[in-house]
Amino acid sequence: MIRKATPRDIDTILDITKACAKHMISMNIFQWNEHYPNKNAFKNDITRDELYALEVENIVVGCVVISTLMDEEYLPIKWLTPNKSNIYIHRLAVHPKQQGKGFARHLMEFAENYAKLNNYISVRLDTFSQNKRNQKIYESRNYQKLGDIYFPKQSSHPFHCYELVF
């Protein structure tokens, strides 16, 4: 079940993202670190009513942020659609012990259906250039790679920006 996250979920979600960071680092993917994601980001997501938790048997095993806010880092990207009716996916995570069970796909389907039901024209996101698995997932879902942005506190490597147009 996917539901709106509450402040009570933040510590569990942080445990999930820390486990994901550790797992990615073990595969030489330095996408997340001690700076990101952090508690303040998730608090802001809840305040904006944009953080969703994925529960399996009443245990939170994943999360996703579905936002209408375009980060300033995205401004240089030549998006396929105008910057007026889009959603942005951030901080998608599934605990490593629960990966490979289709939960990330389920979270993506939820976000895409949310966008369609609410008449958004596209879904936008970024993923780390060194995370080939994520790139394959998004490309298999017909997202188009459009350009790169940088988050210096996370990595010197770029993040690829993607968009799915309905």
Side-chain angles (χ1 to χ4, degrees):
M1 169 182 87
I2 298 174
R3 61 166 175 80
K4 290 275 176 103
T6 69
R8 290 186 318 266
D9 296 316
I10 290 177
D11 287 337
T12 301
I13 289 172
L14 277 170
D15 289 344
I16 291 167
T17 58
K18 286 177 185 175
C20 287
K22 185 177 178 182
H23 181 67
M24 286 187 285
I25 289 167
S26 76
M27 297 184 303
N28 292 317
I29 299 170
F30 301 94
Q31 177 174 340
W32 287 352
N33 58 31
E34 68 276 8
H35 302 290
Y36 184 87
N38 59 51
K39 192 171 213 166
N40 284 338
F42 289 121
K43 283 181 179 179
N44 289 337
D45 296 335
I46 287 175
T47 298
R48 289 182 47 85
D49 207 26
E50 298 178 337
L51 179 60
Y52 293 83
L54 169 64
E55 280 187 347
V56 176
E57 298 176 5
N58 297 315
I59 297 171
V60 175
V61 299
C63 64
V64 66
V65 173
I66 303 173
S67 180
T68 57
L69 181 66
M70 183 169 115
D71 293 335
E72 66 181 40
E73 289 86 357
Y74 286 171
L75 289 173
I77 300 300
K78 266 195 135 151
W79 297 103
L80 300 170
T81 61
N83 295 334
K84 61 180 183 177
S85 186
N86 322 94
I87 64 161
Y88 300 85
I89 304 298
H90 298 294
R91 294 177 280 290
L92 175 77
V94 174
H95 194 286
K97 291 180 180 177
Q98 299 295 327
Q99 291 178 6
K101 299 178 181 179
F103 295 138
R105 179 180 40 79
H106 187 55
L107 286 163
M108 286 303 299
E109 288 169 355
F110 178 83
E112 292 162 4
N113 287 334
Y114 175 92
K116 289 176 189 173
L117 289 170
N118 291 284
N119 299 311
Y120 291 97
I121 58 174
S122 75
V123 177
R124 297 173 175 177
L125 54 86
D126 66 79
T127 193
F128 190 47
S129 60
Q130 306 303 299
N131 193 333
K132 304 299 181 195
R133 180 178 177 205
N134 279 5
Q135 292 170 50
K136 286 180 187 175
I137 289 169
Y138 299 131
E139 290 168 11
S140 75
R141 298 186 71 75
N142 297 317
Y143 283 76
Q144 294 182 51
K145 185 167 42 170
L146 302 174
D148 291 339
I149 58 174
Y150 291 85
F151 295 103
K153 286 185 178 179
Q154 287 174 251
S155 177
S156 60
H157 294 285
F159 286 71
H160 299 320
C161 290
Y162 286 85
E163 186 171 19
L164 175 67
V165 179
F166 300 117

